Structures are given as structure tokens and as C-alpha cells.
């Protein structure tokens, strides 16, 4: 009994030591998004990829981005069409928190509201209408 309890505790501690630690959180909510629609996040240089479905509270991506190694990502709703057209936005992510919300499903920079990112806020305010 003692051996199995000690083994269990060791395995639990070992798995926590190898668990990915996240330092970057991307949250958001897209109004009128169908429940079966997927949201994709793809990194350019680092190869990170993830996908989620939005709940009533919105969506959330947890990432590990080392200090000073921010990168550009594509945040995309649904799959890319055969024509190459996609509903997505280019964003720059670095260590920290970012919240994106949109009243439409169109992720054009002028349609989304971004919090906690000076780079994106500046880009969004200068995006073509």
C-alpha cells in the first residue's frame, strides 16, 4: 500500500515537472460564431499550432512564448476556402495577456477590439477602412 501511494505521488510530481508552463494567454469572444466552428492559431517562425471551439464565455489559447521571442501568428475562424480566402487576422504575440473581441465574424483588423497590445492597437487604428 505504501509503495503504490509513493509511486503515485512520484508520478504526479514528475508529470507536473514536465508540464508545459504557459506565460501568454490569448482570450476573446466572437459574437454570433456557430458552436461547431473552430478557431485556429498558427505561429509563423515557431511552428506552434492550436485550435479551440468557443464556449459561452469565449475562447482561450495558452502559449509559452519565451521572453524576447514574440512572433507573428494567424488567428483564423474556420478552414481556408479552396480559393485561398480565409477569415483571419495577423497578430503579434509576446509574453503577456491579449483579449480580442468582435461584433462580427469578420476578423478584419478594423472590426476587432484588442486589449493589452500597443502594437496591435496602433495597427488597428491605422488599418484601411
Amino acid at each position: 500500500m505504501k509503495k503504490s501511494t509513493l509511486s503515485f505521488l512520484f508520478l504526479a510530481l514528475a508529470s507536473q515537472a514536465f508540464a508545459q508552463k504557459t506565460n501568454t494567454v490569448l482570450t476573446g469572444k466572437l459574437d454570433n460564431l456557430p458552436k461547431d466552428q473552430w478557431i485556429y492559431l498558427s505561429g509563423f517562425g515557431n511552428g506552434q499550432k492550436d485550435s479551440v471551439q468557443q464556449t459561452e464565455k469565449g475562447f482561450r489559447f495558452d502559449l509559452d512564448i519565451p521572453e524576447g521571442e514574440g512572433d507573428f501568428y494567424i488567428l483564423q475562424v474556420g478552414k481556408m476556402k479552396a480559393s485561398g480566402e480565409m477569415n483571419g487576422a495577423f497578430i503579434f504575440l509576446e509574453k503577456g495577456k491579449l483579449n480580442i473581441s468582435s461584433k462580427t465574424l469578420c476578423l478584419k483588423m478594423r472590426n476587432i477590439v484588442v486589449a493589452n497590445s500597443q502594437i496591435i492597437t496602433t495597427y488597428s487604428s491605422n488599418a484601411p477602412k
Side-chain angles (χ1 to χ4, degrees), residues 24-120:
T24 305
V25 179
L26 170 62
T27 57
K29 184 156 182 143
L30 304 175
D31 290 354
N32 303 315
L33 183 68
K35 288 191 182 275
D36 62 342
Q37 192 72 267
W38 285 88
I39 302 169
Y40 300 95
L41 183 68
S42 304
F44 279 97
N46 58 25
Q48 289 190 37
K49 292 182 180 181
D50 202 355
S51 58
V52 297
Q53 285 183 303
Q54 180 169 265
T55 66
E56 307 82 45
K57 296 180 181 180
F59 64 89
R60 177 183 175 116
F61 290 99
D62 293 301
L63 304 158
D64 179 35
I65 300 177
E67 185 76 38
E69 294 187 23
D71 201 357
F72 285 94
Y73 289 76
I74 297 174
L75 180 66
Q76 177 181 334
V77 175
K79 298 252 183 198
M80 186 181 297
K81 295 180 182 176
S83 65
E85 182 182 345
M86 69 171 190
N87 181 13
F90 291 93
I91 58 175
F92 183 84
L93 290 178
E94 55 190 356
K95 180 180 170 183
K97 295 179 180 179
L98 177 66
N99 182 271
I100 295 177
S101 60
S102 179
K103 298 286 183 199
T104 71
L105 290 180
C106 184
L107 285 182
K108 304 287 187 236
M109 289 308 292
R110 67 177 176 267
N111 294 334
I112 65 175
V113 177
V114 181
N116 300 332
S117 175
Q118 185 60 41
I119 293 171
I120 293 181

